[in-house]
Amino acid sequence: MDKKDILRITQKENNLSRRDAIKLMGISPIAAGVLASTTGSSISQASTDVIGKVLIVGGGAGAIMALSRLKRAISNPDITIIAPNETHLYQPGQVFVGAGVMEFEDLLLNNNNYINQDEITWIKDEVKTFDADNNCVITRAGKEVKYDVLVVAVGVQYHYEAIKGLSKEDIGKNGITSVYLSDLEKGTAVGATATWEWFKELKEAAKTGKPKVIYTQPNTPIKCGGAPQKMLHLSADYLRKDGLSAEYQFVTSNAKLFSLPAIDKALHEVQATYDTITNKFQHHLQSIDVQAKKATFIHAYDVQEIDEDFGTKEMVSKTDTVVLDYDFIHVVPPMSPVDAVMESTLVGKSGWLDVDKHTLQHKKYKNVFGIGDVCGIPMGKTGGSARHHGPVITQNIIDFMAKKELSATFDGYTVCPIKTEYGKIIMAEFNYKGPAPTMPLAFDKPRWLWWAFDLYMLKPMYQYLMLTGKF
Ligand SMILES: Cc1cc2nc3c(=O)[nH]c(=O)nc-3n(C[C@H](O)[C@H](O)[C@H](O)COP(=O)(O)OP(=O)(O)OC[C@H]3O[C@@H](n4cnc5c(N)ncnc54)[C@H](O)[C@@H]3O)c2cc1C
């Protein structure tokens, strides 16, 4: 299967010709506009004349969504943004690049299109120190910036170095890849490009044998928790389409494939169609011997034991070390907030930005709000969640500035479009209460509709509607 076949599978075989697909891409900003005007966000802000200096830190999905919404909602905005990056990576597309469906250039957007420097002060730097006790931050260049309200939108940082024996430089070599790795400064999606090469190398190897392939998931919260399984299914399908297979192991720190029982069951059914995937749960990748191609995991589990003295049963936590050989390995690094946040008084016990899970207001510093992956809340390190955070923090910031009680609430909305094969996606949408499908369709079924939506509609919606604060 080459790139042409991938397009054929994802378009024509599903009754969508290439011409129709291109048409769909062309009209999707319009369609997205119609969608926005019909569905809208649950909270819409009337223009308000609240006064105060708002500082937004970050230059990704959450920061730009917050900026656009606040600018639209406040009649005389006094907004500064501190963000190092002009290039804005459409991160959900990294999965499609990794599977050979999109080109890496398709992911690149430009923050200049969203930050109008006639209206907004843009400091192209990073925050080094958050000094929330004194309502100010200090940039790497040493500039002190004061604020009345702070929006923290700095996302996560990857810790490849926490896996002993591995460094970022190993990605793309010796059978190792990681779709996550990106380099915003250079505007590249290094890991996604490397992963597509890795898919092809894996296929070559499968022509003469049955390569051992490991996919890992760490024991920290990660952005887009479904991405490791998306890549697993796509690579297994990539081989299957040519009648090839490999010995896949999904080795995850989690105890299940997915937290929602219906999706968990559906994902087991998807795996069964491949016949070549086995799971190891509660295994955390500790180290890699890059040359010997061995991965060492810590298996943490609870067992029931009888206390011989008292004859009582008790649960005991145990750990084993498990060493697995591999030919190919896809690594997901442990993740945390960036150092500037971790070293500040803004983090809570969870190690993440200590915001209320409903209002997204900082629990200690009432003039600090969070948006996106940095938030220490139980759910939602996805762009879809950041979209839902946007109207909530905008309303609550306005309420705060107007000295009113905060009125907007985040319901935990999270979306995970899990690719189950080329041309099919399970659209897992849920919130703090459970399943929360947007459309009246059984939400645990793989559908081509969601594939088409994710591949053709979502990026224009992100680019034209979400980042402009209209949706
Ligand atoms: C492979 C992959 C697949 C994904 N798939 C999906 C999907 O299908 N659906 C979905 O909804 N989401 C998906 N996501 C997740 C989504 O992209 C993120 O949840 C979203 O980008 C989070 O936005 P954010 O603003 O919190 O962080 P980011 O968009 O990562 O932005 C963080 C920003 O902060 C800046 N920054 C960092 N440190 C500092 C500092 N000290 N000072 C100033 N600025 C700083 C960075 O330069 C960057 O601009 C995926 C992500 C990946 C990697």
Side-chain angles (χ1 to χ4, degrees):
M1 188 168 77
D2 61 15
K3 273 216 161 180
K4 261 193 284 156
D5 294 323
I6 290 175
L7 277 174
R8 182 174 50 73
I9 287 157
T10 64
Q11 295 162 357
K12 207 162 169 207
E13 282 187 0
N14 292 288
N15 299 323
L16 181 75
S17 70
R18 196 172 157 68
R19 227 171 108 239
D20 287 345
I22 288 163
K23 248 200 263 169
L24 184 58
M25 285 170 94
I27 61 156
S28 49
I30 302 167
V34 173
L35 195 67
S37 63
T38 52
T39 59
S41 294
S42 54
I43 303 158
S44 65
Q45 285 80 29
S47 182
T48 161
D49 54 6
V50 288
I51 292 171
K53 188 168 175 45
V54 178
L55 173 63
I56 299 171
V57 182
I64 301 297
M65 288 175 194
L67 173 72
S68 298
R69 284 191 176 268
L70 285 163
K71 205 178 72 183
R72 285 156 64 90
I74 301 175
S75 42
N76 280 308
D78 176 1
I79 305 178
T80 297
I81 183 164
I82 302 179
N85 55 304
E86 295 200 0
T87 305
H88 184 122
L89 199 62
Y90 172 63
Q91 297 176 33
Q94 282 173 247
V95 166
F96 283 128
V97 173
V101 183
M102 274 183 169
E103 299 295 334
F104 132 74
E105 289 77 16
D106 298 336
L107 312 188
L108 300 181
L109 302 173
N110 189 334
N111 273 344
N112 284 295
N113 294 331
Y114 307 103
I115 308 174
N116 177 351
Q117 292 182 70
D118 293 337
E119 298 173 337
I120 306 295
T121 306
W122 182 1
I123 300 172
K124 287 183 193 165
D125 197 356
E126 284 190 347
V127 165
K128 186 162 182 283
T129 309
F130 286 93
D131 182 0
D133 288 317
N134 293 303
N135 299 319
C136 77
V137 302
I138 298 161
T139 68
R140 290 211 180 279
K143 190 176 169 69
E144 187 183 283
V145 184
K146 292 253 175 206
Y147 58 80
D148 297 312
V149 172
L150 172 68
V151 178
V152 184
V154 289
V156 307
Q157 69 173 319
Y158 301 140
H159 291 286
Y160 287 96
E161 79 293 343
I163 301 161
K164 224 171 123 205
L166 183 75
S167 76
K168 274 195 243 177
E169 286 64 41
D170 291 311
I171 308 301
K173 293 180 206 147
N174 296 315
I176 303 173
T177 197
S178 175
V179 79
Y180 279 88
L181 184 65
S182 66
D183 187 338
L184 264 186
E185 270 169 42
K186 297 189 195 121
T188 55
V190 187
T193 313
T195 299
W196 175 228
E197 292 307 314
W198 184 89
F199 267 40
K200 290 187 281 187
E201 280 168 31
L202 170 56
K203 187 156 85 178
E204 281 310 305
K207 284 178 185 166
T208 54
K210 213 155 190 201
K212 291 192 174 107
V213 189
I214 294 178
Y215 275 80
T216 71
Q217 181 143 351
N219 62 359
T220 64
I222 60 169
K223 62 168 127 184
C224 190
Q229 289 183 76
K230 296 177 191 177
M231 298 318 299
L232 167 69
H233 302 146
L234 289 172
S235 88
D237 193 35
Y238 182 61
L239 298 194
R240 181 169 66 178
K241 292 272 189 286
D242 283 342
L244 301 168
S245 66
E247 257 178 54
Y248 285 101
Q249 292 201 73
F250 181 52
V251 192
T252 170
S253 300
N254 295 334
K256 324 169 162 172
L257 293 181
F258 209 88
S259 56
L260 287 182
I263 303 287
D264 185 61
K265 181 167 172 280
L267 290 174
H268 279 284
E269 285 165 10
V270 168
Q271 286 194 355
T273 68
Y274 289 106
D275 203 20
T276 50
I277 303 175
T278 53
N279 299 303
K280 282 200 184 313
F281 295 108
Q282 296 172 304
H283 284 65
H284 172 66
L285 179 61
Q286 189 192 38
S287 65
I288 289 190
D289 184 333
V290 171
Q291 296 311 324
K293 294 197 159 184
K294 286 181 188 296
T296 302
F297 294 85
I298 300 299
H299 178 206
Y301 57 102
D302 291 336
V303 281
Q304 202 176 51
E305 284 189 352
I306 311 257
D307 186 315
E308 306 242 317
D309 296 335
F310 297 101
T312 52
K313 290 178 187 165
E314 56 182 30
M315 293 307 284
V316 180
S317 297
K318 300 220 163 183
T319 56
D320 295 336
T321 301
V322 176
V323 182
L324 299 176
D325 292 326
Y326 66 83
D327 298 302
F328 293 87
I329 187 164
H330 179 278
V331 175
V332 180
M335 300 183 196
S336 77
V338 299
D339 290 345
V341 171
M342 286 216 293
E343 288 160 6
S344 76
T345 52
L346 293 172
V347 286
K349 278 195 201 121
S350 67
W352 296 81
L353 188 73
D354 198 16
V355 292
D356 179 86
K357 70 176 189 175
H358 293 299
T359 62
L360 304 175
Q361 182 186 42
H362 198 276
K363 289 181 186 161
K364 178 173 174 200
Y365 303 102
K366 301 298 176 194
N367 61 341
V368 176
F369 294 79
I371 181 168
D373 296 344
V374 70
C375 294
I377 56 180
M379 273 186 196
K381 297 210 183 307
T382 71
S385 311
R387 179 174 82 76
H388 283 244
H389 296 164
V392 172
I393 64 158
T394 305
Q395 184 59 55
N396 286 344
I397 286 171
I398 290 167
D399 289 340
F400 174 80
M401 289 167 94
K403 300 193 171 37
K404 289 188 194 154
E405 213 171 292
L406 307 193
S407 59
T409 294
F410 175 59
D411 64 2
Y413 178 85
T414 306
V415 57
C416 190
I418 309 167
K419 284 84 181 158
T420 55
E421 62 184 272
Y422 283 88
K424 291 236 170 92
I425 280 178
I426 291 178
M427 191 61 86
E429 292 180 282
F430 48 103
N431 61 25
Y432 292 140
K433 290 191 183 145
T438 308
M439 300 280 271
L441 295 168
F443 86 130
D444 52 355
K445 297 273 170 296
R447 291 176 198 277
W448 175 77
L449 170 73
W450 293 130
W451 176 273
F453 174 78
D454 196 5
L455 182 57
Y456 302 117
M457 294 277 289
L458 212 56
K459 188 190 152 207
M461 285 177 72
Y462 181 83
Q463 182 174 358
Y464 298 112
L465 298 173
M466 297 183 198
L467 293 183
T468 55
K470 294 178 188 148
F471 181 61

